[in-house]
Amino acid sequence: MREIMNHHESKKLRQMRLRVTKADSSFLYFTFESNEGLAFYSTLNESSDEHHRDILLHTTPEYYTPVLNLLEHLRKKMPIEVLFDKEVEDDSTIDFL
């Protein structure tokens, strides 16, 4: 029996809010851009101050562990604070299949 359902089966996403320094944010963006398809993210407007950026990151259940592994690796290079990490319903109305 499988433990991890895929997104198509579960219609769930993992949602994480990350906090990084403003100086480190561009490297975090670059890293997720270069790992295309692993997750999608957006910078939250209310975090745009001179010291840090809050990033809302979404990934599917099957990519959750690789995202955690990537974040753990990045933590060796920069401070990353996980403000929350939760499962959410995917309210997207697009079905690509």
Side-chain angles (χ1 to χ4, degrees):
M1 186 171 153
R2 287 187 324 188
E3 288 184 32
I4 300 173
M5 293 180 69
N6 67 39
H7 174 259
H8 185 71
E9 295 169 332
S10 70
K11 302 297 185 209
K12 305 260 187 209
L13 294 171
R14 291 300 303 196
Q15 182 183 70
M16 303 171 81
R17 184 170 180 160
L18 309 175
R19 179 167 287 165
V20 297
T21 65
K22 181 179 177 181
D24 291 329
S25 63
S26 61
F27 185 72
L28 183 82
Y29 301 146
F30 172 78
T31 301
F32 276 104
E33 292 283 332
S34 66
N35 286 275
E36 187 176 342
L38 192 60
F40 57 97
Y41 64 87
S42 60
T43 303
L44 299 173
N45 287 337
E46 65 267 19
S47 73
S48 297
D49 68 23
E50 61 185 72
H51 303 293
H52 73 275
R53 295 287 181 259
D54 284 1
I55 299 159
L56 194 61
L57 182 93
H58 291 88
T59 191
T60 58
E62 59 269 31
Y63 289 120
Y64 179 61
T65 299
V67 165
L68 291 178
N69 292 338
L70 180 58
L71 289 172
E72 192 59 36
H73 179 73
L74 288 171
R75 279 191 176 119
K76 296 174 186 173
K77 308 278 185 202
M78 69 179 78
I80 300 174
E81 184 179 356
V82 177
L83 300 176
F84 65 75
D85 178 357
K86 62 185 177 182
E87 185 176 77
V88 296
E89 293 288 327
D90 183 1
D91 59 2
S92 159
T93 57
I94 300 172
D95 188 0
F96 293 101
L97 297 178

